[in-house]
Amino acid sequence: MKLSQMVMPELFIPPEWDREFAQIAVDSRDVQPGDVFIARRGLKSHGEEHIAAAIEQGAVAVLAEGELGFRCEQSPHFPAVPVFFSSDIAACLTVWLHRRYASVADMKLVAVTGTNGKSSVTQYMAQLAGFCAVPCGVLGTLGNGVWPDLQTSRNTTADLSVILRNLQSMQERGVNTAALEVSSHGLTQQRVAGLNFCVAVLTNLTQDHLDYHGSMADYFAAKRQLFVGHDIQAALINIDDDYGRRLAADTAINTDVMTYGASDQASVRYSAVKMQARGMQAWLDTPWGSGLLVLPLIGEFNLANATAAIAALALQGFDFVQLLQAAQKLEPVAGRMELYVKDNAPLAVVDFAHTPDALLNVLQALKPWNKKITAVFGCGGDRDRSKRPLMAQVAAAHADIVWLTDDNPRSEDPQQIFADALNTENTSDFYCEHDRSRAIAQALDMTAADGIVVIAGKGHENYQEVQGVKLPYSDAAVLSQLGYRKAGQLLSGDEHAE
Ligand SMILES: CC(=O)N[C@H]1[C@@H](OP(=O)(O)OP(=O)(O)OC[C@H]2O[C@@H](n3ccc(=O)[nH]c3=O)[C@H](O)[C@@H]2O)O[C@H](CO)[C@@H](O)[C@@H]1O[C@H](C)C(=O)N[C@@H](C)C(=O)N[C@H](CCC(=O)O)C(=O)O
Ligand SMILES: Nc1ncnc2c1ncn2[C@@H]1O[C@H](COP(=O)(O)OP(=O)(O)OP(=O)(O)O)[C@@H](O)[C@H]1O
Ligand SMILES: N[C@H](CCC[C@H](N)C(=O)O)C(=O)O
């Protein structure tokens, strides 16, 4: 496509500066030879500072947010690179992106929002679709791509330019269905603006991100935007959740609302839940039929997640019976309820729980195992400070031993993060150790061989972010160094009784 075809009539491109381009990149680090770089004003800096880097990487043109004007830059790859300035760039960008990637409008997209469970629901959807012989794209925290081949992503919800580029590339490979994680930051920052969703899912809303949203009311308002400010064909809402019930009753939602959960009121309802150490089962009543759902997953929250994934696909016409059969083969999501074992040593569970509600769910999920539980957890720096004592309260109430440690202190003083977490009752017997590897080793050491050590917060992450630097680190690698091996979700033998 030529530059003028994308930006005119909103921005005039003189014919002598018009040119073909490949993709659109809003971040210089993503620029490939032949791309257009968009230099826009951000929350921390201005993309203008990165124009030189973008040109160095092969940008053929730059559209920059600023007073109307034009300048020409030297390039190692082209005779000259035009830089067009306009104060309307931010306002026009969504239209321009949809013009460039117009074919994406034909795809079947599912948006999943909520505090916890987005990665799980999107990945379960992709797995289930795959078992039904329909390849499915996934865009989220664990990466972007066609399941299971995902490329690392910078954000849970990428910038609209990145989302559209990925979706079009999936489409070119014959993939027409994709599940997107939609974060509240993504909604507020218009990262999914203009996309049409055949289903929009709300998993739950509990405390997180108040550093960014200020209050739960604002956080909820951001999530609600997916359902009232976007083009959706069906809403699928968890009504076991307080905010879910509020949303389901919202008359501003201009489409069919389907509900799910254990509630008697839910249109997709699970009941007769039987939890086992090796998985769970429940009876599922839905508009597409009823049947036994057998899941090789741990934790009732995963029953809710799998139910949402099944309903999101059934709403698109997938066969319900086939989905139930496929659900028996679901695999846990990387870094979520991953079990690690070692002879004569406690079971270790690695999970991405980094909110009070997620930590509560994980600890409660392990209660039926009737073992002593040690919790190792930390709280992220440059994130919601007020969730720290709440996480500590959950750990104090639901674990027998607690180790407080670091989890991406980012630009903050780790000691201050500890002080925030400990600023609540019942934390005086917490063990505190900033070095996460050492905290894990000591927690395992002091837990009886028939106990469980839950290592929460980092899940799949392969780094510890300290003062802007991502140092290589992974909970799984620490466990491996300590002689642990991954058990898979289904423990064999009687190591851990039901
Ligand atoms: C605070 C925040 O949300 N920032 C997001 C925002 O960046 P920004 O526009 O403020 O960017 P900036 O840092 O001021 O830089 C200005 C411009 O220069 C560009 N740039 C920047 C550096 C560089 O080397 N080259 C370059 O071109 C940036 O892409 C940007 O266009 O827009 C960018 C593009 O969409 C996001 O990548 C970026 O996410 C940052 C990295 C981030 O950490 N965000 C977190 C808080 C976030 O969004 N989290 C949610 C998950 C929440 C959940 O768990 O539910 C998410 O969806 O990821
Ligand atoms: N439906 C759920 N309800 C409550 N907690 C959940 C649910 N699903 C998962 N969790 C917990 O939350 C953690 C994160 O799950 P998941 O990665 O699916 O959420 P997410 O919404 O994608 O998170 P993020 O946006 O921060 O990446 C899990 O490791 C688990 O502890
Ligand atoms: N998407 C979440 C991930 C948090 C993961 C946890 N390890 C932390 O650093 O707090 C966030 O950026 O808030």
Side-chain angles (χ1 to χ4, degrees), residues 179-491:
L180 283 74
E181 288 189 47
V182 179
S183 66
S184 55
H185 293 75
L187 286 161
T188 309
Q189 295 173 25
Q190 306 292 315
R191 297 183 204 157
V192 292
L195 290 174
N196 307 326
F197 296 110
C198 56
V199 188
V201 184
L202 177 83
T203 57
N204 47 57
L205 192 88
T206 59
Q207 183 172 333
D208 201 4
H209 304 308
L210 296 191
D211 54 315
Y212 184 74
H213 293 290
S215 67
M216 283 303 284
D218 279 6
Y219 182 31
F220 178 53
K223 295 280 190 199
R224 181 176 174 269
Q225 272 310 305
L226 176 62
F227 298 84
V228 299
H230 287 79
D231 188 352
I232 60 170
Q233 282 161 32
L236 179 61
I237 299 173
N238 173 12
I239 52 164
D240 291 341
D241 180 86
D242 290 345
Y243 283 96
R245 278 194 296 281
R246 260 173 73 179
L247 187 66
D250 196 326
T251 51
I253 300 181
N254 193 13
T255 187
D256 293 341
V257 175
M258 181 159 287
T259 56
Y260 73 95
S263 159
D264 285 348
Q265 313 295 315
S267 19
V268 180
R269 173 173 176 259
Y270 53 80
S271 57
V273 181
K274 279 196 195 145
M275 289 293 162
Q276 297 142 343
R278 297 177 180 84
M280 61 187 134
Q281 64 176 54
W283 187 255
L284 203 56
D285 288 304
T286 79
W288 312 281
S290 298
L292 188 67
L293 174 61
V294 179
L295 293 172
L297 303 169
I298 298 171
E300 187 162 344
F301 57 86
N302 271 324
L303 175 55
N305 294 336
T307 301
I310 289 171
L313 290 170
L315 272 163
Q316 293 174 55
F318 280 69
D319 181 68
F320 177 66
V321 174
Q322 214 181 343
L323 288 170
L324 279 186
Q325 279 162 2
Q328 298 188 27
K329 295 186 272 183
L330 277 176
E331 284 176 19
V333 177
R336 276 76 176 156
M337 299 306 273
E338 273 182 345
L339 310 182
Y340 290 82
V341 288
K342 179 181 167 180
D343 294 342
N344 304 316
L347 173 75
V349 180
V350 171
D351 186 84
F352 193 46
H354 53 270
T355 68
D357 184 53
L359 192 56
L360 175 67
N361 280 312
V362 170
L363 295 173
Q364 280 184 335
L366 297 167
K367 278 268 154 72
W369 297 40
N370 285 322
K371 309 282 180 191
K372 291 272 186 216
I373 296 181
T374 298
V376 181
F377 85 102
C379 307
D382 301 337
R383 294 289 186 269
D384 190 353
R385 265 184 93 172
S386 58
K387 75 176 174 180
R388 295 171 187 168
L390 302 180
M391 290 178 74
Q393 278 170 25
V394 168
H398 298 275
D400 301 285
I401 301 173
V402 181
W403 278 82
L404 181 61
T405 188
D406 286 358
D407 179 351
N408 297 331
R410 301 192 175 85
S411 73
E412 285 196 60
D413 173 6
Q415 198 51 41
Q416 182 58 49
I417 297 177
F418 274 18
D420 289 343
L422 296 171
N423 188 16
T424 186
E425 287 172 4
N426 302 324
T427 54
S428 56
D429 59 350
F430 279 20
Y431 296 90
C432 298
E433 167 60 64
H434 288 291
D435 183 318
R436 195 169 170 103
S437 315
R438 220 178 293 156
I440 291 172
Q442 296 186 63
L444 290 165
D445 260 359
M446 67 161 51
T447 304
D450 63 350
I452 303 178
V453 177
V454 173
I455 303 166
K458 295 192 75 64
H460 63 285
E461 288 178 355
N462 57 6
Y463 57 82
Q464 180 78 290
E465 187 175 338
V466 183
Q467 296 298 335
V469 181
K470 286 187 170 173
L471 305 166
Y473 171 85
S474 113
D475 288 342
V478 170
L479 287 170
S480 164
Q481 275 159 17
L482 293 170
Y484 273 79
R485 63 185 188 282
K486 200 161 157 196
Q489 199 72 348
L490 306 182
L491 289 176

